[in-house]
Amino acid sequence: QTQVVESGGGLVQAGGSLRLSCTASGSIFRINAMGWYHQVPGKRHNLVASINVDGATWYADSAKGRFTISRDNDQNTLYLQMNSLKPEDTNVYFCNTLTYYYTWGQGTQVTVSL
């Protein structure tokens, strides 16, 4: 199986927080770097944050200082803690490896209101 299921999105006011979760199938999760993505016009998926097997992280400029990516290899689960949310963070968020190994899931909708 090559599936991921994202959850945790919702509607929040600007300045609020959300914690996204991504549960992945199979043993490939624990030996691959993982990332959170969102969709942008003209590009299917844009990387927001990533985490290596050893825990090293990377963030897009828009996420630095506000988002924290983490992983639980025992539970095959990836997380994204989103704080100080802004209306421009509104999007559908997806998870996958950095080589797009998994079949893309449905994503989880994050909507930030003023």
Side-chain angles (χ1 to χ4, degrees), residues 39-51:
Q39 290 180 316
V40 296
K43 189 173 182 180
R44 185 177 182 185
H45 295 94
N46 191 51
L47 186 63
V48 175
S50 67
I51 183 167

Side-chain angles (χ1 to χ4, degrees), residues 67-78:
F67 296 179
T68 302
I69 189 171
S70 60
R71 65 191 297 163
D72 183 339
N73 288 336
D74 290 335
Q75 299 295 324
N76 273 21
T77 302
L78 182 73

Side-chain angles (χ1 to χ4, degrees), residues 8-109:
L11 171 63
V12 295
Q13 289 186 326
S17 299
L18 287 171
R19 189 191 195 204
L20 308 185
S21 298
C22 161
T23 301
S25 64
S27 59
I28 199 74
F29 176 89
R30 61 194 64 193
I31 61 172
N32 271 273
M34 293 293 299
W36 281 100
Y37 301 79
H38 64 198
Q39 290 180 316
V40 296
K43 189 173 182 180
R44 185 177 182 185
H45 295 94
N46 191 51
L47 186 63
V48 175
S50 67
I51 183 167
N52 290 346
V53 174
D54 62 1
T57 57
W58 173 92
Y59 298 93
D61 287 344
S62 61
K64 286 179 182 176
R66 300 188 300 123
F67 296 179
T68 302
I69 189 171
S70 60
R71 65 191 297 163
D72 183 339
N73 288 336
D74 290 335
Q75 299 295 324
N76 273 21
T77 302
L78 182 73
Y79 301 100
L80 186 68
Q81 178 67 43
M82 309 172 79
N83 297 330
S84 302
L85 282 162
K86 304 175 181 179
E88 52 263 45
D89 295 319
T90 296
N91 213 312
V92 182
Y93 288 78
F94 303 83
C95 66
N96 213 323
T97 69
L98 300 190
T99 57
Y100 304 167
Y101 172 83
Y102 290 105
T103 301
W104 290 100
Q106 295 297 310
T108 186
Q109 175 72 48

